[in-house]
Amino acid sequence: MKKIYPILIILFLTMLNVSGQVWNPLGVTTSLGSTTTGIRAIAVSPNDGSIYAGGTFASGVNYLAKYNTSTSTWQQVGTGINGPVYALAFYKNNLYVGGLFTVAGGVTVKNIASVSSTGVFSDVAGGVNDQVNCLYVAEDSSKLYVAGKFNQSGSGTALLHIASIATSTWAAVGTGVPSVVNALAEYTSNGAKKLYAGTENTATPVYKDSSNTWYAMPDLTGGRVNALAAINGYLYAGGEFSQPTYAASKWNGGTWSTINTIFSGPTIKIYSFYKLQTTLFLGGTFSGVGVSGLATYIGRIDGPTIPIKAVLTGNTLGGAPYAINSKTGYIIAGGMWSGNGSNISISSTTIGIEEIASAIESSTLFPNPITDHSILQVKLKKHFANSSLLIYNNQGQLVKEKFEENILGNDLKFEIEKNELRNGIYHYLILLDGSPALSTSFIVD
């Protein structure tokens, strides 16, 4: 099997952004805001692929809209909502809507509501007493986390800036977070998965839930955190802080480090993250950065050591996106840039991520943790000319590279020996024809 070395992989991934790729308006109406109001959240239904947008817009469509593919227009959901929407998430087949409002679809609510696929709104456990900034579905889908400015439920139960709901009642999440929460993420470090919160506490904006007590994380300071994401062995934080860098940093379970020096400077802010397989998308105020200086307002990172690149090589978005999502390989971005897609735009082409990932039928690594040796088996839905396995340590350094050792039809097989690695946590990345396809972690014990 012909080897593809890391530098060639980077060049190949860069070439995926061919000329002619542009951002197009999603929809033909101008009802989703202006340069002062716009999109704050985007959700794509896992049931039927419907696209929803929520935000601060209230002209023609009241704060929550659904895209009509047959007419290419945005339509109000039910009778609308009477206040701004800051968060959207699908949980147990319903769309959950969070923000600052008291009526949703004619139903009296308190800053959070659920809506069915037919547009019927419902109250969510009596709501909460102040603004909802974040809705986060647990990785095991067991519960929905709700976070923001509130400090109690609608009935008066103490819920300090965060709560969870599994059925019809609120549950406190430990002792609560001491500051207003903007973002949540689950991250695994030293074999333990914890919930992290990005907040508006400028001294220590990131908190970790450990044994039902929230602790401030040191060494990231100087401003608020707007976005969190756990991917490829790191916890990424984006916002408006000064240390380690002004807009974006990453944590490996022990220390914070700079994602890239291009995010330095007090004018650069990160507003949104979006994970798609092994790729992290970043939205913010940056311009002309990354590989070939093409990333403006939105960029992508395809692996722990791969530099930031543009999502498309054509025209740019009209401003920094507050929300990013995807549908069948197309990237959707929303913000406040009236004139280019009524504040919401979609990539003119797919970007080669979901198409590659969908080629994997199943994968198993056994045993995990590795005490002697383990076998990684990947079953593909179609054949690829080249495949490789990259192994990174918990600091994001490439420590081992393996190429396809045994191919039986569309089955890949890699053997990982303990004597090749030191004890600790590692992360592997599978590349198919040079494109990231699957990433997960394992332990060498």
Side-chain angles (χ1 to χ4, degrees):
M1 180 62 62
K2 184 179 179 181
K3 293 187 176 182
I4 304 178
Y5 292 95
I7 187 65
L8 295 180
I9 293 170
I10 294 172
L11 291 174
F12 183 86
L13 290 171
T14 303
M15 291 172 63
L16 287 177
N17 294 324
V18 297
S19 61
Q21 295 181 337
V22 296
W23 291 101
N24 290 325
L26 181 59
V28 296
T29 69
T30 57
S31 59
L32 300 186
S34 62
T35 55
T36 57
T37 62
I39 309 298
R40 292 303 181 96
I42 300 170
V44 178
S45 171
N47 304 316
D48 60 11
S50 297
I51 303 171
Y52 293 82
T56 55
F57 52 86
S59 176
V61 177
N62 290 328
Y63 303 109
L64 179 65
K66 181 179 180 180
Y67 185 63
N68 187 321
T69 56
S70 61
T71 62
S72 298
T73 59
W74 289 93
Q75 298 178 346
Q76 185 167 276
V77 180
T79 57
I81 293 177
N82 73 338
V85 171
Y86 297 107
L88 296 173
F90 276 92
Y91 177 64
K92 294 187 181 298
N93 296 319
N94 282 338
L95 175 65
Y96 281 73
V97 183
L100 189 62
F101 49 83
T102 57
V103 178
V107 177
T108 299
V109 297
K110 291 184 179 179
N111 305 310
I112 184 171
S114 67
V115 57
S116 68
S117 59
T118 58
V120 177
F121 285 85
S122 299
D123 168 69
V124 178
V128 291
N129 72 331
D130 206 338
Q131 182 172 305
V132 171
N133 293 334
C134 173
L135 297 171
Y136 177 83
V137 179
E139 290 182 358
D140 62 3
S141 300
S142 62
K143 63 187 70 174
L144 174 69
Y145 290 102
V146 181
K149 293 184 177 181
F150 57 86
N151 57 21
Q152 62 183 34
S153 69
S155 61
T157 303
L159 299 170
L160 188 58
H161 302 131
I162 187 170
S164 70
I165 188 166
T167 54
S168 58
T169 58
W170 292 111
V173 182
T175 54
V177 183
S179 183
V180 173
V181 176
N182 296 324
L184 296 170
E186 292 171 276
Y187 174 70
T188 300
S189 175
N190 297 320
K193 181 180 292 185
K194 303 292 185 182
L195 184 64
Y196 293 76
T199 77
E200 297 186 2
N201 181 2
T202 58
T204 52
V206 179
Y207 286 79
K208 176 176 71 172
D209 180 21
S210 181
S211 300
N212 292 321
T213 300
W214 288 89
Y215 295 94
M217 295 181 63
D219 302 325
L220 189 145
T221 186
R224 60 188 283 168
V225 165
N226 298 321
L228 288 177
I231 188 170
N232 295 328
Y234 285 98
L235 176 69
Y236 287 79
E240 307 167 32
F241 44 84
S242 56
Q243 296 293 333
T245 53
Y246 278 94
S249 297
K250 60 186 179 182
W251 193 60
N252 65 1
T255 58
W256 289 100
S257 60
T258 298
I259 292 177
N260 197 301
T261 56
I262 60 177
F263 293 120
S264 297
T267 62
I268 298 180
K269 302 176 182 180
I270 298 295
Y271 295 127
S272 57
F273 285 155
Y274 174 66
K275 294 194 307 181
L276 182 58
Q277 306 302 335
T278 61
T279 293
L280 178 67
F281 294 86
L282 311 87
T285 59
F286 52 87
S287 177
V289 303
V291 175
S292 302
L294 294 175
T296 294
Y297 298 129
I298 186 171
R300 59 185 280 185
I301 300 174
D302 292 313
T305 61
I306 298 175
I308 188 171
K309 303 190 299 296
V311 177
L312 305 179
T313 58
N315 62 349
T316 65
L317 295 172
Y322 284 85
I324 306 170
N325 212 306
S326 69
K327 181 178 179 180
T328 60
Y330 293 86
I331 300 301
I332 306 167
M336 296 187 292
W337 55 76
S338 181
N340 182 15
S342 301
N343 290 324
I344 189 163
S345 302
I346 188 168
S347 60
S348 62
T349 62
T350 59
I351 59 171
I353 295 178
E354 285 195 345
E355 297 92 327
I356 290 291
S358 64
I360 295 180
E361 183 172 309
S362 63
S363 66
T364 58
L365 175 64
F366 184 82
N368 183 13
I370 299 173
T371 56
D372 182 20
H373 73 278
S374 290
I375 301 296
L376 172 62
Q377 292 184 306
V378 181
K379 186 174 182 61
L380 304 177
K381 295 180 182 179
K382 63 179 182 179
H383 181 74
F384 287 84
N386 297 286
S387 64
S388 57
L389 175 73
L390 306 183
I391 298 176
Y392 298 87
N393 63 20
N394 213 29
Q395 287 71 49
Q397 300 168 320
L398 179 65
V399 296
K400 198 71 179 178
E401 182 177 12
K402 291 177 173 286
F403 298 90
E404 187 178 43
E405 296 178 355
N406 183 23
I407 183 166
L408 300 171
N410 292 341
D411 293 338
L412 306 180
K413 179 181 177 182
F414 298 96
E415 187 167 350
I416 303 175
E417 300 282 353
K418 178 180 178 178
N419 60 16
E420 297 176 327
L421 304 166
R422 297 180 178 178
N423 289 0
I425 299 174
Y426 293 84
H427 313 273
Y428 70 74
L429 175 65
I430 294 175
L431 298 170
L432 299 176
D433 286 354
S435 293
L438 178 66
S439 177
T440 191
S441 61
F442 66 93
I443 299 172
V444 175
D445 190 2

